[in-house]
Amino acid sequence: MNFTRRAALMTSAAIAANVVDPFRAFAQTAPRKGGVFVVHYGAEQRQLNPSIQASTGVYIVSGKIQEPLVDLDAAGNPVGVLAESWESTPDGKTITFKLRRNVTWHDGKPFTSADVQFTAMEMWKKVLNYGTTLQLFLTAVDTPDPHTAIFRYERPMPLNLLLRALPDLGYITAKHLYENGDVRQNPLNLAPVGTGPFKFVQYERGQHIIADRHDGYWKGPANLDRIVWRVITDRSAAAAQMEAGQLHYSPFSGLTISDMARLAKDRRFIVSTKGNEGNARTNTLEFNFRRRELADIKVRQAIAHAINVPFFIENFLGDFAKLGTGPIPSVSTDFYPGPNTPQYPYDKARAIRLLDEAGLRPGAGGTRLTLRLLPAPWGEDISLWATFIQQSLGEVGIRVEVVRNDGGGFLKSVYADHAFDLATGWHQYRNDPAVSTTVWYRSGQPAGAPWTNQWGWKDDVIDKVIDDAATEVDPVKRKALYAEFVTKANAALPLWMPIEQIFVTTITARARNHSNTPRWGSSSWHDLWLAE
C-alpha cells in the first residue's frame, strides 16, 4: 500500500472542486444527432439480463436495451416507463399497473401484460437476486387485458416500496423468447432483446459489447448512433484511453483514485458524484459460517475490532467516504436509525482477548488462524480495503491469503461455490432497505444468487423482522422495524458494513444530458448526446 494520506486528500479535494460545477456550459446547446459513445466496462458479468441479475454491471449495458416498469426522475421520484400509471388497494394486497400501449420488442412482437406476468412470476420471484425477497409474498399477476397487470400479494406490499424498487428490480423480459426452457440458461441472457432505445448488436467477451440506436423506439429515436462498452480491466489503461479520447465515460468509480484526481483537474473531463445518488454503497466484509471458527461470534467480533476503519478512510479514501454504522447508510433519510446500534471500534487489545476466549491461541510464528479473502474486482477501494484487512489481521495473529478473481469468478466462488472464508465488495443501497439490503441477511435465498445471504447463516428472529418491515404499510412502524433490524443485525454480525461511499463518475465534458437522474449510469441514455 503505497498510497499516501496527502494524495488521498488531494484526490477528494480535486473531485469535490469539480462537483461544484459539474455541468460546465458550452456554446452548442441543440442536441446533436449521431456519434458513438464509448464506455469503460471494467468487470464483465456472466449475465446481461436485468430481470435475472440485479447489478450495476448489468444495468450499465442492458439498461439501454431493456426497460423497467418504473424509473426515477431528476428529483428521485418514481416515473412511468413501461407502466403509465398505478394504484393500490387500501390493504396493500392488490396493485394495478396500466401499461404503455404501442410498445414493441426489438424483434417486432408487441409488449403486453403477458410479458409482465411471466417476468414477475418466473424471474423476479424465482431467480432475481433481490427480487426473490421483495416478491416473497407475490401470489399471482392477473392480466385481464393486454395493457393491465394486477399484482396480488398474500401480505401487504407498501406501494412506495414497490415503486422505489422497480427502477432496479422491475425490468421486463419478453415472454415469447423465454417461456420454453430454463430462463437462466437462455442464450439471450448474453444477447438481450428489449423495448429500449438501443438494440443489441454484438458481445465479444474480453473485448466489447455493441448496441445501436433502435429507430422504432416508442419515445422516438435516441440521439446517439451507437454505444460501445469496451472491456478494460486495467484501470490505469482505462484512464490513459480517456485522455487519448478513446473512452468517453468510466462509471461507478472505475478508475484509480489517483487517476480520478488528475482528470478532475483537466477541463476535458467532469469527475463528479452527481447521478449516483440512488446507488450509495457500503464496503463489506462477509463471513463464511461453514468455516467453524467464523461461526463463532467472538472471532467475527475480533476481526472487526482488529481493523482501524477511521485510519483507512482518512489515509486511503478521503472526503467521499465516511464511517458506516450498519446495513442502512446515513443517506437514507427515511430509514437510517442513527449510530447508536452495536458497533465495533478499533481495539487491538480487545480483538486479541476475544481470539483467546474463542480458543484460537497463537501457534508457530504467532499464527492463530489462516483465512482466504476474496475481494470483488469492482473498484480500487475494494482492493485497497482487502490489503488493509490482510495487514490488520496479521497484527492479531490471523494470516490472510488474498485471492483475486475476475467478476464472474468472484461471484461464482463466493455466492455459488462458497469457496471463501472472507469476502469483500460493495453493498449498494437502493432507496429502501427491502430492495437490496435485507437480502444480505434474510435466509432462504436461491442458491448462488449474488449479493444475498449465502453465508450459511440463519436467524429466525431477524427473518421475521425483515418480513414484517417489508409488509408494513405504516411508514412510522416501518422505520421502527428497520431500526430493530439494524440493531439485531449488527449484534449478530453475519457480515460487516463499516464504510459508506458515493460512486464517482468520470465523463467527457462533451457529453450532454448526463448525470441528470439519481441512477443515471443505469438509465436508458435516450437523450444523451455528444457535442462536437
Side-chain angles (χ1 to χ4, degrees), residues 45-66:
Q45 307 287 311
R46 296 182 181 179
Q47 174 66 258
L48 289 179
N49 185 344
S51 302
I52 290 176
Q53 182 167 305
S55 163
T56 52
V58 175
Y59 306 144
I60 193 67
V61 176
S62 296
K64 292 75 192 141
I65 299 168
Q66 292 180 241

Side-chain angles (χ1 to χ4, degrees), residues 1 28 31 44 86 133 146 159 266 290 377 425-426 449-450 475:
M1 293 187 297
Q28 185 177 4
E44 286 183 281
W86 43 82
T133 294
L159 179 59
D266 188 328
R290 299 167 187 85
W426 290 333

Side-chain angles (χ1 to χ4, degrees), residues 285 302-304 306-307 371 388-400 422:
L285 183 56
I303 288 172
I307 302 171
L371 299 173
F388 190 75
I389 291 170
Q390 181 186 46
Q391 294 187 355
S392 299
L393 296 188
E395 295 182 1
V396 296
I398 299 176
R399 181 179 177 272
V400 175
L422 304 173

Side-chain angles (χ1 to χ4, degrees), residues 95-392:
I95 298 176
T96 300
F97 288 93
K98 292 296 183 180
L99 306 178
R100 195 170 299 281
R101 297 171 182 265
N102 302 315
V103 176
T104 59
W105 295 98
H106 292 157
D107 65 359
K109 300 290 186 181
F111 159 73
T112 72
S113 57
D115 299 309
V116 177
Q117 189 275 342
F118 177 82
T119 303
M121 297 303 295
E122 300 301 321
M123 295 182 176
W124 299 353
K125 184 172 176 64
K126 295 181 179 179
V127 180
L128 182 60
N129 46 313
Y130 300 138
T132 54
T133 294
L134 179 74
Q135 304 294 355
L136 184 64
F137 300 108
L138 177 67
T139 59
V141 178
D142 297 341
T143 55
D145 63 65
H147 305 294
T148 303
I150 303 173
F151 284 63
R152 301 196 182 278
Y153 290 91
E154 177 185 349
R155 295 178 63 171
M157 167 61 77
L159 179 59
N160 189 56
L161 162 59
L162 185 60
L163 295 178
R164 295 282 174 184
L166 287 177
D168 282 341
L169 306 183
Y171 283 89
I172 305 300
T173 294
K175 177 182 179 181
H176 67 279
L177 297 175
Y178 276 80
E179 59 186 329
N180 297 317
D182 185 345
V183 298
R184 290 167 292 191
Q185 302 303 319
N186 194 308
L188 293 177
N189 289 334
L190 289 175
V193 175
T195 58
F198 294 92
K199 187 174 181 177
F200 175 85
V201 174
Q202 184 185 54
Y203 184 4
E204 290 289 337
R205 183 164 290 281
Q207 300 297 319
H208 59 252
I209 303 171
I210 298 173
D212 285 349
R213 181 177 57 226
H214 175 50
D215 290 332
Y217 183 50
W218 57 269
K219 274 188 181 181
N223 293 318
L224 296 169
D225 287 335
R226 169 173 284 189
I227 303 173
V228 176
W229 294 265
R230 189 171 293 163
V231 178
I232 307 169
T233 57
D234 185 322
R235 297 182 183 90
S236 295
Q241 289 192 30
M242 290 203 74
E243 290 180 290
Q246 297 169 350
L247 287 177
H248 297 118
Y249 172 51
S250 181
F252 305 123
S253 303
L255 302 181
T256 67
I257 297 172
S258 56
D259 282 331
M260 286 190 292
R262 188 179 70 259
L263 296 182
K265 301 173 184 177
D266 188 328
R267 300 290 290 179
R268 295 176 299 163
F269 304 101
I270 293 167
V271 182
S272 170
T273 57
K274 185 153 180 61
N276 296 311
E277 299 88 348
N279 279 319
R281 75 184 194 271
T282 51
N283 291 80
T284 66
L285 183 56
E286 303 148 42
F287 303 99
N288 189 346
F289 279 62
R290 299 167 187 85
R291 180 70 184 262
R292 175 183 56 81
E293 296 90 345
L294 296 176
D296 187 335
I297 191 170
K298 290 185 177 180
V299 176
R300 301 194 303 277
Q301 290 172 336
I303 288 172
H305 282 302
I307 302 171
N308 190 341
V309 180
F311 178 89
F312 177 76
I313 292 172
E314 181 180 5
N315 286 276
F316 295 95
L317 302 180
D319 291 347
F320 287 104
K322 61 186 292 187
L323 190 66
T325 58
I328 300 178
S330 60
V331 296
S332 177
T333 55
D334 290 337
F335 297 107
Y336 180 59
N340 296 321
T341 55
Q343 299 297 317
Y344 301 92
Y346 175 62
D347 189 334
K348 183 178 175 180
R350 187 173 183 183
I352 291 172
R353 185 168 63 252
L354 285 165
L355 292 172
D356 288 342
E357 291 174 1
L360 297 177
R361 300 283 180 175
T367 299
R368 303 168 182 267
L369 179 67
T370 298
L371 299 173
R372 296 172 74 249
L373 168 61
L374 276 63
W378 319 136
E380 185 189 23
D381 62 303
I382 297 175
S383 180
L384 291 169
W385 176 232
T387 302
F388 190 75
I389 291 170
Q390 181 186 46
Q391 294 187 355
S392 299

